[in-house]
Amino acid sequence: MRDAGHFYINLSYSNLSGTSFFGSNFKKVKINRYTQHDFGFYAEVGVVSRWLTLTLDGQLYRRNVLSGQGRTEGIGDLRLGFWTGAIVKPVRLSFGVLVGLPAGDRAPDGPKSDPFADQIAKSLPTGDGEWDVEFKASLGYSFGRHRYWPLEHYLTAEAGYWLRTRSIHDAFTYKLEIGTKFPWTFIDRFWFVIRLFGVESFASNAQAANSFSGLGDGVTYTSFAFEVIIRIYAGLSVSYGLDTAFRARSVISSLHHKVSISYDF
């Protein structure tokens, strides 16, 4: 939760590229190389200390390329969040409602003169094309920096129920994250973060889309991530992270790289 009048802004670029995807039965399927580029943002603003923080995030630009077959590009979907703090000590417990805004294109058009190219374009959406709502709970705790344990840590656990529309099945979302900082000069500017997160769609294998874009019905994954966050000056920070899904459905099989710059004030 942000105090009233305080902001956090994060701008990022991410990339993934792979030659196989997790099909609707969780098994890998070979395809031509698929590459995805995203320019994203995330912002928080405190409206009422403890009781109301607003968030907004999404893809300012998404480019999908299927080697030798076609590409699409455009703005992706957005999410507007409303958060309130239920408990602040000894742990932090917050509840949020996130509303999905269908800014992206769920079925991009290709050349009408070429039915195959049009079909390829529609397999490379930039958004889900639906309004949706996620109800989320977030639990946070920080500890460490004692005489016999000088390291500093934070732990975050989140769970959510994602209410979908447009014939897309609802899903359960989750995240477990721990960050560690060392207390020594210079290295104390670094946070080292590991994260386990995912989405579990309630669609059956038969109902799940046999696609690779990470958008559409049945998208499911469990991913592991590592990130390094470096404080440059005051509230200015940069970070690099990578993650990969080790159990998934309807997403590309690839390492996902992400770099970002953020400001906290």
Side-chain angles (χ1 to χ4, degrees):
M1 300 300 298
R2 294 275 156 187
D3 289 336
H6 287 252
F7 296 78
Y8 172 82
I9 298 174
N10 182 297
L11 299 175
S12 65
Y13 164 73
S14 63
N15 166 267
L16 59 83
S17 182
T19 57
S20 63
F21 72 98
F22 293 95
S24 58
N25 59 358
F26 293 89
K27 296 181 180 180
K28 291 185 181 181
V29 180
K30 296 291 290 184
I31 56 170
N32 286 6
R33 180 167 293 278
Y34 170 75
T35 303
Q36 180 181 311
H37 304 273
D38 294 324
F39 289 92
F41 76 98
Y42 173 80
E44 298 176 351
V45 57
V47 179
V48 181
S49 295
R50 176 179 175 180
W51 298 113
L52 180 60
T53 293
L54 301 182
T55 63
L56 181 65
D57 69 280
Q59 295 173 326
L60 296 170
Y61 174 77
R62 172 171 171 152
R63 178 183 174 92
N64 310 302
V65 180
L66 190 59
S67 180
Q69 294 187 285
R71 68 174 185 268
T72 59
E73 57 191 345
I75 189 172
D77 289 339
L78 307 175
R79 299 186 88 188
L80 176 63
F82 305 84
W83 289 85
T84 189
I87 300 174
V88 295
K89 289 183 179 180
V91 298
R92 292 185 178 271
L93 176 63
S94 302
F95 295 100
V97 177
L98 286 74
V99 180
L101 311 176
D105 191 342
R106 64 189 293 262
D109 291 326
K112 295 304 182 183
S113 59
D114 186 343
F116 178 74
D118 186 59
Q119 182 181 2
I120 291 297
K122 285 180 169 48
S123 73
L124 301 171
T126 60
D128 273 329
E130 61 152 20
W131 293 86
D132 55 64
V133 180
E134 183 178 0
F135 303 94
K136 183 172 285 191
S138 180
L139 181 69
Y141 181 65
S142 59
F143 58 98
R145 298 202 70 174
H146 300 306
R147 178 181 177 184
Y148 297 108
W149 189 259
L151 278 64
E152 184 177 355
H153 307 277
Y154 74 83
L155 178 66
T156 301
E158 293 184 352
Y161 185 89
W162 197 357
L163 183 64
R164 310 299 299 268
T165 57
R166 274 192 175 273
S167 301
I168 296 179
H169 288 77
D170 297 349
F172 174 72
T173 65
Y174 54 92
K175 181 178 75 172
L176 182 63
E177 175 177 313
I178 185 167
T180 299
K181 183 168 73 171
F182 297 89
W184 306 297
T185 302
F186 182 71
I187 196 70
D188 64 354
R189 292 176 174 267
F190 291 67
W191 277 103
F192 300 93
V193 180
I194 56 174
R195 186 182 299 120
L196 181 72
F197 64 102
V199 174
E200 193 71 26
S201 171
F202 296 139
S204 67
N205 287 359
Q207 294 167 325
N210 199 43
S211 66
F212 49 84
S213 66
L215 299 170
D217 196 17
V219 172
T220 297
Y221 58 84
T222 302
S223 296
F224 177 80
F226 175 75
E227 185 176 11
V228 179
I229 305 168
I230 309 168
R231 180 174 57 85
I232 302 301
Y233 177 78
L236 181 66
S237 299
V238 296
S239 71
Y240 169 74
L242 58 86
D243 63 76
T244 187
F246 56 87
R247 172 186 172 273
R249 183 173 65 180
S250 303
V251 299
I252 200 75
S253 174
S254 171
L255 276 176
H256 182 209
H257 302 266
K258 183 176 182 179
V259 292
S260 67
I261 182 169
S262 62
Y263 190 60
D264 188 340
F265 59 99

